[in-house]
Amino acid sequence: MKKSLLACSLLLCPVVFAATPHWEYSGEVGPAHWAKLTPEFGQCAGSNQSPVDLSGLVEAKLAPLVLHYQAGGNTVVNNGHTVQVGYAPGSTLQLDGTRFELKQFHFHAPSENLIEGKSYPLEGHLVHVSDKGEIAVVAVMFEAGKANPALAAAWGGLPAKVGEIQALKAPLSAEQLLPESRDYYRFSGSLTTPPCSEGVRWLVMKQPVEVSQAQVDVFKAVMHHPNNRPVQLLNGRVVLQ
C-alpha cells in the first residue's frame, strides 16, 4: 500500500491515485488538513517537509549535475492537481553514486519553493526515482519574459478535463526546460503532495528560465486554482549552494 501511494503521489498511476483520499489546495481538505485525512498522509505533518524558503544558504562544494536526458516526453495529462508530462524510460540523473530515472515532470503556479523569500509565477518539477524507490527532484523556476519554446511544445493543447491524456506531436526532452547554468541549491525534503513522503533529494536550479504571461495564464485556466503548497519550516535543515 505504501508503495502504491508513493507512486501515485508522483502522478504515475492515475487510477490508483484517484482512489486515494480526496485532497485539494484549499478548504477542509487543503494543505493544513492533509495529515489528518488518512494515516497514510501522516508525514504531511513531518519536520522535513517541502516546499521551503531557500534561505540561510551555506556554501558547499556541490558536485555538478550529471544528466543524461533523451527526448522521452510523450504524453500530457491533467490529473486535477497539476499538468504532467509522462516520460519514456531511459533518461537519468546520476547523484550520490545512484542512478535516478526521470519519470515525469509537472508544474505549479505560483512557485512552491521560494528563493530567499522570492516567489516565481511558475515552477517545474522533474521527478526522478531510483531502483530502490528513492526520489530526487530537479526544480526549475520560471520568471516573466519571452514565451518558453519547451512549454509551447508541451502545452500545445493542454487537456482541459481532469483525467484527459493527450499524446505529444513529437517527443520532448526535459533538457529544454533547464537553464544554461546548472548551478543549484540542495536540501532534503519531501514530496509536496500527499502522502508527503520525506527523504526526497531536492535540487533547485539557481538560474530561472523565461515564461510568457500568456503561457502562465493558459496553465492557470486549466487548473482553475493555485496549485502550490505553502512553504514549510526548515526546522534546522541546511540549504547548500
Side-chain angles (χ1 to χ4, degrees), residues 130-213:
S130 74
D131 290 340
K132 295 181 179 181
E134 299 168 309
I135 303 167
V137 178
V138 174
V140 181
M141 299 298 183
F142 292 81
E143 63 181 359
K146 297 179 295 185
N148 186 290
L151 292 186
W155 296 357
L158 283 182
K161 297 180 181 179
V162 176
E164 183 180 353
I165 302 174
Q166 293 189 3
L168 290 174
K169 294 181 180 179
L172 179 66
S173 174
E175 188 95 24
Q176 299 173 42
L177 291 172
L178 300 178
E180 183 176 347
S181 169
R182 301 297 166 83
D183 290 343
Y184 63 97
Y185 306 102
R186 177 172 180 168
F187 71 96
S188 178
S190 73
L191 301 176
T192 65
T193 60
C196 310
S197 306
E198 295 184 341
V200 176
R201 295 168 170 90
W202 277 89
L203 312 165
V204 181
M205 306 306 292
K206 289 185 176 183
Q207 180 185 5
V209 295
E210 292 188 7
V211 64
S212 69
Q213 186 59 51

Side-chain angles (χ1 to χ4, degrees), residues 11 25 49-54 81-85 104-127 136-144 148 151 154-155 177-179 184-187 189-193 200-212 215-217 219-220 223 225-232:
L11 321 178
Y25 283 99
Q49 290 290 292
S50 297
V52 301
D53 181 357
L54 284 77
H81 299 304
T82 189
V83 169
Q84 169 202 310
V85 175
Q104 52 93 348
F105 57 85
H106 62 270
F107 303 90
H108 298 270
S111 69
E112 295 201 296
N113 292 294
L114 307 180
I115 298 180
E116 296 188 295
K118 181 178 180 179
S119 173
Y120 291 81
L122 185 72
E123 180 176 352
H125 291 165
L126 286 66
V127 181
V137 178
V138 174
V140 181
M141 299 298 183
F142 292 81
E143 63 181 359
N148 186 290
L151 292 186
W155 296 357
L177 291 172
L178 300 178
Y184 63 97
Y185 306 102
R186 177 172 180 168
F187 71 96
S190 73
L191 301 176
T192 65
T193 60
V200 176
R201 295 168 170 90
W202 277 89
L203 312 165
V204 181
M205 306 306 292
K206 289 185 176 183
Q207 180 185 5
V209 295
E210 292 188 7
V211 64
S212 69
Q215 288 177 313
V216 175
D217 290 344
F219 179 79
K220 289 181 175 179
M223 285 292 94
H225 56 75
N227 68 332
N228 63 311
R229 184 189 191 189
V231 294
Q232 308 294 300

Side-chain angles (χ1 to χ4, degrees), residues 2-172:
K2 182 177 180 181
K3 183 177 180 180
S4 65
L5 276 170
L6 176 58
C8 289
S9 71
L10 296 175
L11 321 178
L12 300 175
C13 46
V15 175
V16 182
F17 185 83
T20 61
H22 176 68
W23 58 270
E24 295 181 2
Y25 283 99
S26 62
E28 296 182 355
V29 289
H33 306 283
W34 288 350
K36 303 173 186 177
L37 296 179
T38 175
E40 286 82 1
F41 292 178
Q43 286 195 64
C44 295
S47 59
N48 293 298
Q49 290 290 292
S50 297
V52 301
D53 181 357
L54 284 77
S55 58
L57 306 173
V58 175
E59 295 291 336
K61 293 183 179 179
L62 297 177
L65 293 181
V66 181
L67 303 169
H68 298 288
Y69 287 167
Q70 302 173 3
N74 49 27
T75 59
V76 183
V77 61
N78 175 355
N79 63 19
H81 299 304
T82 189
V83 169
Q84 169 202 310
V85 175
Y87 225 81
S91 294
T92 62
L93 160 69
Q94 296 286 340
L95 183 69
D96 302 335
T98 300
R99 178 181 179 274
F100 294 82
E101 185 167 80
L102 177 60
K103 297 294 186 179
Q104 52 93 348
F105 57 85
H106 62 270
F107 303 90
H108 298 270
S111 69
E112 295 201 296
N113 292 294
L114 307 180
I115 298 180
E116 296 188 295
K118 181 178 180 179
S119 173
Y120 291 81
L122 185 72
E123 180 176 352
H125 291 165
L126 286 66
V127 181
H128 307 72
V129 183
S130 74
D131 290 340
K132 295 181 179 181
E134 299 168 309
I135 303 167
V137 178
V138 174
V140 181
M141 299 298 183
F142 292 81
E143 63 181 359
K146 297 179 295 185
N148 186 290
L151 292 186
W155 296 357
L158 283 182
K161 297 180 181 179
V162 176
E164 183 180 353
I165 302 174
Q166 293 189 3
L168 290 174
K169 294 181 180 179
L172 179 66

